[in-house]
Amino acid sequence: MTQKKQFVTIKGTKDGLVFLLDEHCSYDRLLEELKEKLNSNYYQQKEGPGVSVRVDVGRRYLSDESEAELRSVITEDRGLTIEAIESTVISIEEAERRQQESQFLTLTRIVRSGQVLKVRGDVLLVGDINPGGTLMATGSIHVLGALKGIAHAGYEGNRQAVITASLMAPVQLRIASEIYSFADIDHEDTFMETAFLKDATSEFVLERVQRLAHIRPELTSNTSQLIEE
């Protein structure tokens, strides 16, 4: 006798439950089997904290309405709390955003006083940022020139972003929500310097740019194409 294929697999872990939902069957058939399994008394509402659930839908795309319905089926009148719904499928908008974030834009210009430039991803500026000028990037900022204005890296919250400059003499540096003002400190103009946030304290740290490979090794490019003779 052929065993009936299961579209819903529920596994217990030390952190709660994992729901593995088949990515190939119809959505209606998936919900039907999910309801059947959840109607067990074991999953009915009990006193005390709810059981944490992680839902893995594989390569199935869920619309906002489908996700809301799935959440309702799992949690309604049951002692279950959804920690996350995970899918390997992303929307076109998210794909475009990730592509933009991974780009490295090169600009050859001077950012003059009163100008504010915003860039998505990392940026290399071949030129200066004059006093009163501002360059913002969702990623890291590298200035092949004099940084004398304001540089704001990771302005959407990327705390791993860095700021480097051939001449580091800014009015202010910002990484994510942290601000470092040079107006109130005695800082000598420094050549080839990088600024980053110390992970534990969110403190601004300035180092020689040669230290960047050790500070943020993930920023260095893949060297598999580098040919040395």
Side-chain angles (χ1 to χ4, degrees):
M1 181 177 178
T2 304
Q3 186 176 4
K4 179 182 176 182
K5 178 177 174 59
Q6 294 189 7
F7 299 120
V8 177
T9 302
I10 301 177
K11 295 183 177 181
T13 71
K14 64 177 182 178
D15 299 319
L17 298 174
V18 177
F19 286 23
L20 301 174
L21 308 186
D22 188 276
E23 62 192 36
H24 300 296
C25 70
S26 70
Y27 177 72
D28 291 339
R29 181 68 188 89
L30 188 69
L31 279 188
E32 181 183 345
E33 183 173 324
L34 183 60
K35 290 176 182 178
E36 289 175 0
K37 292 195 171 183
L38 289 176
N39 281 337
S40 163
N41 288 333
Y42 179 80
Y43 298 110
Q44 299 310 304
Q45 182 68 50
K46 299 179 177 65
E47 294 183 0
V51 176
S52 178
V53 175
R54 183 170 59 84
V55 183
D56 186 344
V57 299
R59 290 176 292 182
R60 180 187 296 273
Y61 171 74
L62 291 177
S63 65
D64 292 342
E65 294 78 8
S66 296
E67 181 175 330
E69 184 179 19
L70 190 62
R71 288 180 177 274
S72 177
V73 167
I74 293 174
T75 61
E76 189 173 6
D77 298 325
R78 298 184 175 90
L80 303 176
T81 302
I82 295 179
E83 177 185 338
I85 296 180
E86 301 172 351
S87 171
T88 57
V89 176
I90 61 175
S91 66
I92 294 175
E93 291 79 9
E94 176 66 11
E96 290 176 345
R97 187 190 69 80
R98 291 187 185 185
Q99 183 182 27
Q100 290 174 343
E101 292 288 355
S102 66
Q103 291 179 347
F104 199 110
L105 180 66
T106 299
L107 297 175
T108 304
R109 61 177 299 170
I110 295 175
V111 183
R112 303 186 185 281
S113 178
Q115 291 183 319
V116 178
L117 298 184
K118 287 187 176 182
V119 174
R120 185 161 294 279
D122 298 332
V123 58
L124 169 64
L125 175 70
V126 182
D128 300 332
I129 303 178
N130 286 346
T134 301
L135 177 59
M136 303 172 64
T138 58
S140 295
I141 294 175
H142 307 282
V143 180
L144 193 58
L147 170 48
K148 295 184 177 181
I150 296 174
H152 188 176
Y155 74 80
E156 288 187 347
N158 181 3
R159 304 179 69 82
Q160 296 301 306
V162 302
I163 300 171
T164 63
S166 297
L167 175 63
M168 185 73 79
V171 173
Q172 186 184 90
L173 297 181
R174 301 179 187 178
I175 298 178
S177 60
E178 305 298 329
I179 300 175
Y180 189 80
S181 177
F182 283 71
D184 303 324
I185 65 172
D186 184 15
H187 177 267
E188 295 182 0
D189 296 352
T190 308
F191 293 96
M192 303 305 294
E193 197 168 30
T194 184
F196 60 96
L197 293 181
K198 197 172 183 178
D199 293 333
T201 61
S202 295
E203 174 188 358
F204 265 88
V205 178
L206 280 81
E207 292 269 9
R208 296 287 294 171
V209 75
Q210 289 86 347
R211 291 272 301 151
L212 189 57
H214 302 283
I215 297 163
R216 292 286 189 269
E218 70 278 6
L219 297 179
T220 60
S221 61
N222 189 333
T223 58
S224 61
Q225 297 181 8
L226 178 63
I227 300 175
E228 296 184 354
E229 297 182 356

